């Protein structure tokens, strides 16, 4: 019998054990990441802070992982997002944006291969699911942009935020 928690633990443990040089990047201090932030919430309400975490396993044998943590206060959204691919570079970074009618629009600033980059991301919250609008590479601007004329089709499942890493970890892998 297969337990769902191993879907997250296996790719994350591969990620940690493949590390050569590990540096931690904690969330920058602000009103959104204090110790008073709840680890879970039932629903988003005005004038309160909610923390919501989501995970998506995909790829060959579900070894690739996307993880998102939103810290929502009123209409402001801060958080973390990471893409941990089994055999490619990782993208680890911070989100900052807004939420209106369960739609989150944010900028994702992330590190990949010793390079800092950014892209716009969009999500829709629906119950215990999160749906992301796809991005595509735009040759004219030389970066990923939100894919036009598509809905929110990439699905994440909600997880207990205590299972989400407390700090982002940047990895510099030594060439084999």
């Amino acid at each position: 019998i297969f337990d769902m928690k191993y879907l997250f633990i296996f790719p994350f443990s591969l990620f940690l054990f493949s590390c050569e040089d590990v540096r931690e990047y904690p969330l920058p201090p602000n009103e959104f990441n204090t110790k008073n932030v709840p680890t879970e919430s039932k629903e988003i309400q005005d004038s309160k802070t909610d923390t919501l975490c989501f995970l998506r396993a995909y790829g060959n044998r579900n070894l690739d992982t996307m993880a998102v943590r939103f810290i929502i206060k009123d209409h402001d959204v801060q958080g973390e997002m990471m893409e941990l691919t089994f055999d490619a570079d990782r993208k680890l970074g911070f989100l900052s944006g807004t939420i209106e009618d369960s739609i989150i629009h944010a900028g994702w600033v992330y590190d990949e291969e010793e390079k800092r980059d950014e892209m716009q991301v969009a999500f829709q919250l629906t119950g215990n699911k999160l749906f992301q609008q796809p991005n595509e590479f735009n040759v004219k601007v030389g970066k990923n942009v939100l894919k036009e004329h598509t809905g929110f089709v990439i699905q994440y499942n909600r997880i207990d935020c205590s299972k989400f890493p407390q700090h982002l970890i940047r990895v510099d892998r030594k060439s084999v």
Side-chain angles (χ1 to χ4, degrees):
I1 306 270
F2 185 76
D3 191 351
M4 290 300 291
K5 68 183 175 187
Y6 292 109
L7 264 176
F8 178 73
I9 293 171
F10 180 71
F12 189 70
S13 64
L14 286 175
F15 164 73
L16 287 178
F17 289 114
S18 68
C19 300
E20 192 62 37
D21 176 27
V22 176
R23 289 175 241 140
E24 291 186 313
Y25 289 95
L27 284 170
N30 63 34
E31 63 185 336
F32 295 105
N33 62 358
T34 64
K35 291 186 180 192
N36 296 327
V37 174
T39 57
E40 282 294 320
S41 67
K42 302 266 186 273
E43 61 183 69
I44 299 171
Q45 299 175 354
D46 285 340
S47 300
K48 125 179 196 188
T49 302
D50 287 295
T51 302
L52 306 171
C53 298
F54 299 89
L55 181 73
R56 173 178 174 251
Y58 65 99
N60 187 20
R61 297 187 324 240
N62 285 330
L63 294 177
D64 301 324
T65 304
M66 293 287 296
V68 181
R69 175 173 35 202
F70 296 120
I71 302 166
I72 302 169
K73 183 172 184 177
D74 297 324
H75 295 283
D76 293 320
V77 178
Q78 302 291 316
E80 303 167 86
M81 185 166 160
M82 54 185 71
E83 180 176 21
L84 309 172
T85 53
F86 179 69
D87 59 356
D89 300 313
R90 279 90 166 127
K91 293 178 184 171
L92 309 167
F94 300 103
L95 295 164
S96 181
T98 59
I99 183 169
E100 185 75 37
D101 297 326
S102 298
I103 305 291
I104 296 172
H105 291 279
W108 179 31
V109 178
Y110 60 91
D111 289 332
E112 176 183 29
E113 284 188 37
E114 298 292 321
K115 184 180 116 184
R116 179 146 293 182
D117 205 349
E118 63 182 280
M119 76 170 75
Q120 294 299 307
V121 290
F123 300 93
Q124 181 178 34
L125 291 168
T126 307
N128 283 330
K129 303 283 185 194
L130 176 71
F131 296 91
Q132 181 179 0
Q133 183 177 351
N135 289 75
E136 66 182 351
F137 188 78
N138 182 313
V139 179
K140 289 182 182 178
V141 296
K143 59 180 11 178
N144 283 310
V145 297
L146 289 171
K147 192 172 183 178
E148 292 184 28
H149 309 295
T150 61
F152 296 91
V153 296
I154 302 170
Q155 181 179 321
Y156 294 71
N157 293 311
R158 184 142 178 212
I159 61 168
D160 182 340
C161 285
S162 68
K163 302 205 182 337
F164 198 91
Q166 293 300 311
H167 298 282
L168 287 178
I169 299 171
R170 181 175 172 178
V171 178
D172 299 318
R173 294 189 331 178
K174 187 176 179 181
S175 298
V176 180

